[in-house]
Amino acid sequence: MKFITEEDLRDLYKKQPFTDYDLKEGERLTPGARQFLVDRGVDMYDRNDPMAVLDAQKKEKAKAAQAAKTESSSGCRNGKKLCSRMKALHSLFLLTARDLLDTDLCLSQQLTGLSRQFAALGSVSEGKCEAVGLVCNACTGMNGENFSQCIGDCFEITEFHMQMPKGREMLLLDRLRSELECFSLDAQELIADEKLCQTLEARLNEIINTISQMICGAMGGKECQRKA
């Protein structure tokens, strides 16, 4: 039988403060050592005491249950947040389409179609993605190989574009595109299923890239504005 003294514990604590102490089989604490642990609020696990073993097992089960509850609660919050973000974005789709309706019926109708595609992604909050991929209308900067990827904006929207005949339309579309890009980044933190997240990202990139083409179209000209 080995007795652990207060001095032994002081030396250990001086080297590295600890919050729990595991008393191994064949070891006993002196009264002073036990008081040392009590004074510092150190949890003690005595393998020689059946009641202590049982108590430790109960604590472990309680910790596991709390961890599972926290994980479940976090998953529920993430699901609600994801759903709310998608509802807000869908409203922005419709609001933008409504604003475009007064100036460009073709753009408005095209955006309404994209809003339906985005709405089809709503099932991701239920752990699935039922939306089919969009068809790529290839141009010099975009094709079937990169259409589902994050390829960035074709060009930067500045105050110069604001003064163009289709400046308002370009700004409205750019705002929507930026919100979609932010949502795509947020979704990576809100969705635990990596495969589902990748599928959602691909569908979002297709919508974002289509909006980029719409902005290019509003810019005018027949050449793609994407910088090499």
Side-chain angles (χ1 to χ4, degrees), residues 71-133:
E71 183 177 353
S72 176
S73 177
S74 176
C76 183
R77 286 197 302 272
N78 286 345
K80 289 181 178 179
K81 185 175 181 180
L82 184 69
C83 187
S84 296
R85 289 279 280 116
M86 295 194 76
K87 285 182 178 179
L89 270 171
H90 187 246
S91 293
L92 183 58
F93 262 102
L94 298 179
L95 182 61
T96 305
R98 175 62 187 85
D99 285 344
L100 292 174
L101 188 61
D102 296 329
T103 57
D104 195 316
L105 178 60
C106 184
L107 274 181
S108 179
Q109 290 177 336
Q110 191 175 357
L111 194 61
T112 300
L114 287 181
S115 76
R116 287 193 287 268
Q117 171 70 1
F118 181 77
L121 297 175
S123 58
V124 296
S125 61
E126 302 171 3
K128 54 187 177 181
C129 184
E130 299 175 335
V132 297

Side-chain angles (χ1 to χ4, degrees), residues 53-67:
V53 173
L54 182 61
D55 184 56
Q57 291 174 344
K58 288 181 178 179
K59 287 183 179 180
E60 286 299 321
K61 288 182 179 179
K63 286 182 180 179
Q66 182 61 39

Side-chain angles (χ1 to χ4, degrees), residues 181-201:
E181 289 170 344
C182 288
F183 173 70
S184 181
L185 294 174
D186 290 342
Q188 296 175 22
E189 300 179 0
L190 297 174
I191 300 176
D193 188 327
E194 184 176 351
K195 185 176 180 180
L196 177 63
C197 188
Q198 291 175 348
T199 301
L200 173 63
E201 185 178 5

Side-chain angles (χ1 to χ4, degrees), residues 96 99-100 102-104 107 164-175 215 218:
T96 305
D99 285 344
L100 292 174
D102 296 329
T103 57
D104 195 316
L107 274 181
M164 299 183 68
K166 292 286 186 178
R168 176 174 173 77
E169 289 85 344
M170 294 169 66
L171 290 172
L172 288 170
L173 291 171
D174 184 51
R175 178 183 63 175
I215 294 175

